[in-house]
Amino acid sequence: MSIGRTIICLLVALLLTSPAFGQATGTPKDMAGTGYYRDQDTLPGAIRFYSQLPGGEGGLWGLGPSRQKIRRSSFKMDAHDEVADYSPEVRCKKCHIPQTKDLHYLRMGITCVQCHRSQPVAGVYHYYSSLNPIRRHAYVCAKCHEGATPSFASYMVHEPNPIAPETRGSFPLFYYVVWFMLILASGVFLFFLPYTALWWIRELVAKLKGRPDHG
Amino acid sequence: MADERTRLKRFTPVHRLWHLGLILVFMTLSVTGIAWMFFETPWGRGLANLFGGYVNVLEIHRTAGLVMLAGFTSHILYMIYRIDWKGFPRSLLGPETLVFQWVDVKGFFRHLGWVFGLNKLPHFDRWSWWEKFDYWAVWWGLIIIGVTGLMLYNPVLTSDYMPGWMLNVALWVHRIEAVLAMGYSFTAHFMIEHWRLGSFPFNAAMFDGTLDIEEAKHDHPEWIARLEKEGRLNEALVAPPPVPLRIFYFLFGYSIIFLGLFLLVFAIANAALLTLF
């Protein structure tokens, strides 16, 4: 029984120390935005895994998200200078539907310009863009994620659709791992749901016939 | 006296405590995880508001995840302690252990044949193949969901040790494994353990630690035969627990079952409102 008691003590201790029980709603405490960031990653020479230049080889044996299509606007200072009907007054999501599907925007209610800093909106790879991978962690992510590093900033905020065929080329690990998990999960359901239903019917038939274990 | 002892000892207090802890922590993780997953829908937002908003939901989810991993670690330590190392690895085999063996492959196909009316119901020993599957499914589930959960616990720290885009992968693996674990528990597990005619409406074996002897004769005849042969059947028989305790087990069990079904039904009903990609 001492193991059981240890588990209970651990449970109670963890629950009591959890900030969740002392804190009302509001912005997360670690989202206060000290702007603290780190340029140094732990792994030596790690930057080469993280640099996300479009068209380049992906990090970690090409499994990472690097082989994106190259968009001309990505390198512009004003990404919209050739967009005829653009106006800062128009909501971004009118034109950029695929970019409205991420966690930050949908669930945390973070607006586009909190990351794509003020007008004119720069292409994400423009040399002076705050979202350029060389300073993205410091200028954008660290506003909310204390201690952000270049590695952290290589997280894809607008992640591609993991099961779409294009993702196999642009982010192979994402594609293969998600497909593997989907096949595993559907395999379990496809087997167990019909099987337990049939099993139930089989027990009913056996009971009606009064022969519980015969064939 | 002997006629009162209608139940067969099956689980020790430690096993039952673990299962109880697993239920409580798993349900906490399910409710908070689903609230976060469905946060963009009114239903998910409502669930999250019960805990005081998404900040608290995430905090509780993270804490409960650590408790789960602590429980898993203690279970592994217990297992290492319980293994008979002198007879290792042969001691892992035999009818008393949960290790998959050749009999389980046979049991699986014979049971399949029985469902389709091709042969007699196979005579299971202490553990049938689906009981072993249930046990190991928690292992594989906890490893997958635990590793990805730890990665998401502190994304900044995690990206010191691997590229940040691994978090995109981790979140999806975490989600799919969660859907698998909840979907399996709230359908197949409840169905097999509680809603089959033999066990309906509620099988309290994992709560009071004992199995009705009649039920055992049907589901585990080989086990009873073995106990009888070894002359241990008599000492394994016990009287049913007192009625108030049985009522309590039933009410507790069914509140968990209803909570699971509530999550399942509303998650399916709201699935179309989710933006996934």
Side-chain angles (χ1 to χ4, degrees):
Chain A
M1 283 308 284
S2 71
I3 296 177
R5 220 172 283 150
T6 317
I7 296 175
I8 292 180
C9 288
L10 207 71
L11 216 134
V12 171
L14 277 170
L15 286 181
L16 287 181
T17 52
S18 162
F21 289 81
Q23 187 187 331
T25 45
T27 39
K29 59 170 187 339
D30 45 344
M31 297 290 152
T34 59
Y36 166 63
Y37 66 92
R38 292 169 295 149
D39 277 329
Q40 203 60 50
D41 281 316
T42 309
L43 307 173
I47 187 74
R48 111 194 112 74
F49 298 136
Y50 312 140
S51 54
Q52 255 190 327
L53 284 175
E57 262 292 301
L60 291 187
W61 311 285
L63 290 170
S66 316
R67 287 182 258 165
Q68 322 281 339
K69 263 194 292 183
I70 302 178
R71 287 177 304 270
R72 219 152 60 84
S73 59
S74 299
F75 295 93
K76 285 183 179 163
M77 185 167 97
D78 178 359
H80 299 102
D81 65 354
E82 283 169 43
V83 183
D85 46 351
Y86 176 80
S87 141
E89 309 302 316
V90 186
R91 308 285 305 266
C92 317
K93 70 173 175 198
K94 230 190 113 219
C95 306
H96 293 291
I97 290 164
Q99 282 81 21
T100 59
K101 301 189 171 175
D102 53 282
L103 301 169
H104 282 85
Y105 180 77
L106 266 183
R107 298 200 207 159
M108 281 80 101
I110 290 161
T111 58
C112 313
V113 290
Q114 277 177 282
C115 296
H116 298 274
R117 310 266 292 256
S118 48
Q119 297 288 341
V121 177
V124 288
Y125 293 112
H126 178 260
Y127 191 72
Y128 293 117
S129 168
S130 50
L131 274 173
N132 186 311
I134 63 169
R135 67 176 75 80
R136 182 182 293 176
H137 62 295
Y139 281 51
V140 180
C141 312
K143 281 204 291 181
C144 306
H145 298 281
E146 209 167 284
T149 58
S151 162
F152 176 72
S154 77
Y155 170 78
M156 290 205 80
V157 171
H158 308 293
E159 60 185 11
N161 174 350
I163 57 178
E166 306 86 74
T167 311
R168 192 164 106 198
S170 67
F171 193 166
L173 189 73
F174 199 33
Y175 176 86
Y176 288 115
V177 171
V178 170
W179 269 111
F180 171 81
M181 287 304 298
L182 277 180
I183 291 169
L184 177 75
S186 15
V188 170
F189 287 126
L190 283 178
F191 173 74
F192 273 98
L193 295 185
Y195 193 70
T196 47
L198 284 174
W199 184 351
W200 197 88
I201 295 171
R202 181 68 186 81
E203 286 200 350
L204 184 69
V205 170
K207 192 169 187 161
L208 292 179
K209 285 191 181 164
R211 293 183 311 170
D213 31 3
H214 286 263
Chain B
M1 269 309 277
D3 19 307
E4 278 172 27
R5 298 190 300 141
T6 54
R7 298 182 72 90
L8 193 56
K9 267 193 264 172
R10 186 154 167 82
F11 299 107
T12 67
V14 178
H15 299 153
R16 289 149 58 195
L17 201 71
W18 256 314
H19 187 254
L20 182 71
L22 183 65
I23 292 180
L24 293 176
V25 181
F26 185 82
M27 294 315 285
T28 310
L29 286 165
S30 301
V31 175
T32 52
I34 284 192
W36 179 228
M37 182 78 215
F38 286 81
F39 192 65
E40 53 178 301
T41 72
W43 175 65
R45 197 168 279 260
L47 271 186
N49 286 344
L50 289 180
F51 298 90
Y54 84 77
V55 179
N56 289 0
V57 157
L58 278 176
E59 204 62 52
I60 297 171
H61 191 81
R62 287 183 164 127
T63 310
L66 287 190
V67 176
M68 182 72 109
L69 286 175
F72 187 41
T73 312
S74 67
H75 180 79
I76 293 175
L77 293 177
Y78 169 82
M79 209 186 65
I80 293 175
Y81 165 73
R82 283 299 305 267
I83 287 178
D84 167 16
W85 291 105
K86 284 206 195 88
F88 188 83
R90 298 225 45 170
S91 60
L92 293 184
L93 303 178
E96 286 287 331
T97 81
L98 282 163
V99 178
F100 274 110
Q101 293 155 52
W102 182 241
V103 286
D104 298 302
V105 179
K106 279 197 296 192
F108 173 81
F109 283 107
R110 309 252 325 146
H111 191 258
L112 190 77
W114 171 75
V115 166
F116 288 103
L118 302 176
N119 51 259
K120 280 190 174 183
L121 186 65
H123 285 186
F124 291 112
D125 204 298
R126 182 158 180 190
W127 310 112
S128 60
W129 69 263
W130 65 84
E131 284 157 342
K132 293 186 181 179
F133 178 86
D134 261 5
Y135 175 76
W136 291 108
V138 179
W139 269 77
W140 114 44
L142 275 181
I143 290 171
I144 295 179
I145 218 159
V147 168
T148 53
L150 275 181
M151 283 167 71
L152 293 163
Y153 189 91
N154 182 344
V156 174
L157 183 67
T158 300
S159 43
D160 278 355
Y161 299 97
M162 60 188 84
W165 46 258
M166 288 293 276
L167 297 163
N168 293 87
V169 182
L171 178 63
W172 272 87
V173 172
H174 196 78
R175 276 177 179 170
I176 299 172
E177 180 56 47
V179 169
L180 173 56
M182 289 186 287
Y184 177 83
S185 306
F186 303 159
T187 57
H189 183 64
F190 288 171
M191 181 81 158
I192 295 176
E193 300 305 337
H194 302 297
W195 302 333
R196 285 189 296 127
L197 292 180
S199 331
F200 190 83
F202 185 67
N203 173 359
M206 214 4 147
F207 295 89
D208 63 27
T210 62
L211 187 65
D212 185 70
I213 188 81
E214 291 306 317
E215 224 169 297
K217 273 181 190 152
H218 183 259
D219 280 350
H220 303 280
E222 203 81 336
W223 183 33
I224 299 194
R226 191 162 52 82
L227 286 178
E228 225 160 9
K229 217 174 86 194
E230 294 168 7
R232 292 195 293 135
L233 185 61
N234 202 35
E235 69 190 63
L237 284 175
V238 285
V243 175
L245 207 54
R246 277 158 65 191
I247 294 177
F248 174 73
Y249 290 145
F250 183 87
L251 291 180
F252 173 78
Y254 261 89
S255 39
I256 296 295
I257 290 180
F258 279 124
L259 180 57
L261 293 181
F262 163 77
L263 293 178
L264 183 72
V265 168
F266 276 83
I268 292 174
N270 283 283
L273 298 176
L274 282 185
T275 314
L276 292 175
F277 25 68

